[in-house]
Amino acid sequence: MKIRIKGNSVRFRLTQMEVKTLCEKGMVREKTDFNESHFIYAVKASDEHDNLAASFFDQGIMLFVPKNSIVNWHTNEQVGLYHTQNLNNGKLLDIKLEKDFVCMDETVEDQSDNYPNPKMKC
């Protein structure tokens, strides 16, 4: 799982196995270790949310996704879910949850579990 944060925008990208795990078990999480602490980021299926909703806590970010939005997501062509969350301070947070596709450039990261990129010609 990858996250990209820029201003008031957060984007979660999940590999094929992570999407399948989310659909079947209801949660995926990652942890990045630092000397003093660690940062946790997770996606959790929820019956209590009608849209994507992100929460920040002591050590990271939890993204809640409505359970009914991810039924069979791992077996269909839907790329992602998108929502703009109204914050208590009057600002907006753009949230994206997407399948992670193989990059078209020459990146060195492991992409073996990423979805085939539909823009690549075979």
Side-chain angles (χ1 to χ4, degrees):
M1 177 172 22
K2 298 180 213 171
I3 57 171
R4 177 180 287 168
I5 300 171
K6 181 172 169 73
N8 270 27
S9 174
V10 63
R11 177 182 181 194
F12 287 72
R13 292 170 54 195
L14 279 58
T15 65
Q16 293 183 71
M17 186 54 69
E18 290 164 338
V19 171
K20 185 175 182 184
T21 299
L22 177 62
C23 292
E24 293 178 351
K25 297 187 177 184
M27 185 171 178
V28 290
R29 75 186 288 270
E30 281 285 340
K31 182 175 85 166
T32 303
D33 291 310
F34 295 92
N35 283 329
E36 315 78 37
S37 189
H38 53 266
F39 179 72
I40 298 168
Y41 46 107
V43 181
K44 184 175 182 178
S46 170
D47 287 323
E48 299 174 16
H49 294 85
D50 295 328
N51 293 297
L52 295 177
S55 292
F56 186 79
F57 56 96
D58 285 344
Q59 298 172 326
I61 300 170
M62 177 72 73
L63 176 62
F64 296 98
V65 58
K67 273 187 185 177
N68 62 351
S69 296
I70 57 168
V71 174
N72 298 321
W73 189 34
H74 62 296
T75 61
N76 66 37
E77 300 294 319
Q78 181 181 3
V79 173
L81 301 165
Y82 309 91
H83 181 67
T84 301
Q85 179 178 339
N86 293 308
L87 303 176
N88 293 338
N89 62 5
K91 294 184 180 182
L92 302 173
L93 176 65
D94 289 319
I95 307 170
K96 298 174 176 121
L97 174 63
E98 299 174 326
K99 293 176 178 174
D100 197 6
F101 292 103
V102 171
C103 295
M104 293 176 63
D105 60 5
E106 295 180 25
T107 185
V108 294
E109 70 183 57
D110 178 19
Q111 299 186 71
S112 59
D113 191 34
N114 289 15
Y115 287 87
N117 193 316
K119 293 183 180 180
M120 294 178 84
K121 294 181 180 183
C122 297

